[in-house]
Amino acid sequence: MASRKKSRKKQTGKFSTVALVLVATAGMALCYLLFGSMARQGKRQYIYIDDDDNMDSVCTKLAPLSTAYGMATFKMLAGIGSYASNIKTGRYEVGSSGALMTFRRMRNGMQAPVSITIGSVRTTDKLAHMVSRKLMFSSDELLRLLRDKDVCGKYGYTPDNVIAMFIPNTYDIYWNSSASSFLDRMQRESKRFWTAERREKASTAGLSPLQVMTLASIVAEETANEEEMPSVAGMYINRLEKGMLLQADPTVKFATRQFEARRIYNSMLRVDNPYNTYRYKGLPPGPIRIPTVAAIDAVLNYRHHDYLYMCAKEDFSGTHNFASTYEEHKKNAARYAKALNERGIK
């Protein structure tokens, strides 16, 4: 009798052990399905969900990024969680955290932001094209706002100078942001950039932040040499203070849209355009490009000197010869013209 009881206990123990093993195995399998890397080869990837996506199209986009078991698990979770009726636009990470986390991100709209670098571009057209390549809205949508007087007025600008609102930097922005919310963000970043210290320096130089951006855009076009920038800025400020024409070649290129011109001809100088600083006194209506931060700070920290003229050096180093008198400047200009002719540069 005792031996029978022991036998039963043994069998019960074996069944319990087998059951525990099965439960543990099932648990491990479930954990693997839910938490094992969903992305193929464990590499972080991203899925972009548009306004017109449905369950089928989401799965079509997700399949090439996902492992087979990850895809199967996602579909199971999507069915349980009614994802088909709660699809949210955005850019979502498909990474090593598993199908459950991927599903949660997509179900709850937990996006992975896009890093956008605002560079020193010349026109709003190029700006709109550059930004729209990274975000959901089109180039035309952004350009339409940048050309709208009322929209620009809301931010304190005009279509001619709204480019001054953009500060070169890299920003993390959600892919499905609207064009208007993007502009809101850029205004906040601009306000953050224009600290009390920078505003005070602008005021001391007799300039508004917009005027600083406009002059900085000319400085950025004149030289890529950051050490020279404060001297270039100082020369233009000297001309402004004396009421002289700026006679900045980059503004002529902007007015004529001949951005790659190596020489400025008299026919270009005669163009009647408010950006032509050979004809119109003072600063042009707005920046001729998004200036670099180095150029902005060069204007705010401009070098004090008595130079009124500058001309590109004849060695084509990208730097300039500065002069205090027109006679001295003519000699510098003659040397540069001779160098251009010798190289056959038209």
Side-chain angles (χ1 to χ4, degrees), residues 45-54 57-62 65 83 87-94 106 111-115 132-136 173-176:
Q45 299 178 83
Y46 299 92
I47 181 173
Y48 295 80
I49 307 300
D50 296 296
D51 283 324
D52 57 355
D53 273 318
N54 54 33
S57 62
V58 168
C59 289
T60 299
K61 289 180 176 181
L62 192 56
L65 311 178
Y83 176 68
I87 295 173
K88 294 179 174 65
T89 61
R91 174 181 184 259
Y92 301 100
E93 180 185 330
V94 182
M106 294 170 64
Q111 292 188 64
V114 177
S115 289
S132 64
R133 288 173 59 192
K134 289 289 194 79
L135 298 177
M136 187 175 171
I173 299 174
Y174 289 127
W175 177 73
N176 65 348

Side-chain angles (χ1 to χ4, degrees), residues 47-285:
I47 181 173
Y48 295 80
I49 307 300
D50 296 296
D51 283 324
D52 57 355
D53 273 318
N54 54 33
M55 187 61 196
D56 288 339
S57 62
V58 168
C59 289
T60 299
K61 289 180 176 181
L62 192 56
L65 311 178
S66 173
T67 59
Y69 68 81
M71 192 70 230
T73 306
F74 177 86
K75 287 181 178 179
M76 176 190 72
L77 294 170
I80 296 171
S82 303
Y83 176 68
S85 58
N86 291 282
I87 295 173
K88 294 179 174 65
T89 61
R91 174 181 184 259
Y92 301 100
E93 180 185 330
V94 182
S96 59
S97 51
L100 178 60
M101 181 55 73
T102 299
F103 169 72
R104 286 189 61 208
R105 290 185 183 121
M106 294 170 64
R107 176 68 168 72
N108 299 328
M110 299 161 60
Q111 292 188 64
V114 177
S115 289
I116 292 187
T117 299
I118 300 296
S120 183
V121 297
R122 285 194 177 98
T123 64
T124 52
D125 301 64
K126 287 189 175 181
L127 173 65
H129 176 70
M130 177 182 69
V131 171
S132 64
R133 288 173 59 192
K134 289 289 194 79
L135 298 177
M136 187 175 171
F137 56 75
S138 69
S139 176
D140 287 342
E141 286 178 85
L142 180 56
L143 203 53
R144 198 177 304 119
L145 296 181
L146 292 172
R147 290 174 175 172
D148 188 299
K149 290 181 180 179
D150 292 334
V151 172
C152 293
K154 183 180 79 169
Y155 298 110
Y157 297 93
T158 69
D160 284 331
N161 60 37
V162 69
I163 204 167
M165 186 171 73
F166 298 86
I167 306 297
N169 206 342
T170 298
Y171 304 99
D172 286 340
I173 299 174
Y174 289 127
W175 177 73
N176 65 348
S177 297
S178 65
S180 59
S181 66
F182 168 73
L183 291 181
D184 291 343
R185 169 71 182 279
M186 291 299 98
Q187 184 192 43
R188 292 196 299 273
E189 296 295 343
S190 178
K191 287 180 176 179
R192 187 176 292 115
F193 176 82
W194 281 102
T195 60
E197 181 184 4
R198 281 194 171 106
R199 288 181 176 277
E200 179 62 29
K201 286 182 177 181
S203 179
T204 300
L207 302 170
S208 67
L210 173 58
Q211 289 173 320
V212 170
M213 295 293 285
T214 302
L215 180 52
S217 71
I218 296 173
V219 171
E221 279 280 294
E222 289 282 19
T223 182
N225 187 309
E226 294 184 2
E227 289 185 8
E228 188 184 54
M229 284 180 177
S231 294
V232 175
M235 188 215 69
Y236 280 123
I237 288 175
N238 287 346
R239 293 180 75 93
L240 285 172
E241 289 177 346
K242 289 182 178 295
M244 298 172 67
L245 289 166
L246 291 186
Q247 295 183 324
D249 290 355
T251 66
V252 178
K253 294 179 184 180
F254 187 88
T256 60
R257 288 301 194 265
Q258 297 184 53
F259 298 117
E260 306 306 321
R262 297 291 299 274
R263 304 185 77 153
I264 302 297
Y265 294 96
N266 287 330
S267 59
M268 297 167 68
L269 300 181
R270 290 193 293 270
V271 170
D272 187 9
N273 185 296
Y275 284 89
N276 183 354
T277 57
Y278 276 81
R279 294 195 60 165
Y280 290 85
K281 277 189 177 182
L283 291 164

